[in-house]
Amino acid sequence: MIGANDSISIAKEGFCQVSLAEYSRNVRELVAWAREYGAAILLFEVTPVVEELFERNFCYSGRLQNERISAYNAALKHIAAEQEIALIPSGWLSESENMNELYESDGLHLSAKGQKAFAAKWISAATKII
C-alpha cells in the first residue's frame, strides 16, 4: 500500500504531489525489485481520506483529495493488470457505514479499528497468492 503521500498535497506540511507518471514508474520499479528477489506481490489501492477531517487538520480546502487518489488507484489497477499482480481495492473503506470509526481524527490515517479491518483484507488476499 503506497501512494497516499504521493497522490495528495498537504499545504500545512509542505508535501508536493508526485506526478502520475513518476508514481507509475516508481511502482513498476518496486515491483521489478520485489520480483528480482522472488517476493510475492500484493498491491492495495491508496485508501481514501475523510475529506472534512482532512481539510480541517491539514489546512486544505478544495475537497479534491479523493479525486486525486482515484487517479492514482486507476494507475495501480493498470499496473496490476499489466503485471498480473493481485490488487485489493480500497472502496470498502469509503462505502463503510462507520467510515469515521475506521480513521484517526486527521481523516488520513487508519484507526486501530481501521487497521484491524485492513489487516483482515490483507491476510485474506495474501493467503491466495502464496
Side-chain angles (χ1 to χ4, degrees):
M1 180 183 155
I2 52 176
N5 289 339
D6 295 328
S7 61
I8 61 176
S9 299
I10 304 173
K12 180 178 175 182
E13 301 295 330
F15 289 108
C16 296
Q17 185 178 358
V18 173
S19 73
L20 274 172
E22 182 179 355
Y23 176 77
S24 296
R25 258 190 325 274
N26 291 342
V27 171
R28 283 187 175 92
E29 196 172 299
L30 287 169
V31 166
W33 176 79
R35 283 199 165 137
E36 187 177 316
Y37 288 93
I41 303 167
L42 175 60
L43 296 175
F44 197 109
E45 287 184 343
V46 180
T47 56
V49 299
V50 181
E51 296 276 4
E52 299 80 24
L53 296 174
F54 184 89
E55 283 182 29
R56 186 176 16 189
N57 287 285
F58 293 101
C59 300
Y60 182 86
S61 60
R63 298 191 181 212
L64 298 173
Q65 304 312 321
N66 286 324
E67 286 180 33
R68 291 178 179 152
I69 289 170
S70 292
Y72 286 72
N73 284 339
L76 278 177
K77 287 176 190 172
H78 178 77
I79 292 167
E82 157 193 288
Q83 304 267 341
E84 298 179 350
I85 299 170
L87 175 76
I88 303 172
S90 64
W92 61 274
L93 281 161
S94 56
E95 295 164 3
S96 174
E97 290 178 14
N98 59 344
M99 182 180 179
N100 286 352
E101 293 177 21
L102 300 176
Y103 283 83
E104 292 290 338
S105 61
D106 66 3
L108 179 61
H109 297 96
L110 296 178
S111 66
K113 188 173 184 174
Q115 290 177 28
K116 185 175 180 179
F118 177 91
K121 297 274 185 192
W122 181 86
I123 290 168
S124 175
T127 59
K128 295 174 186 169
I129 65 168
I130 53 174

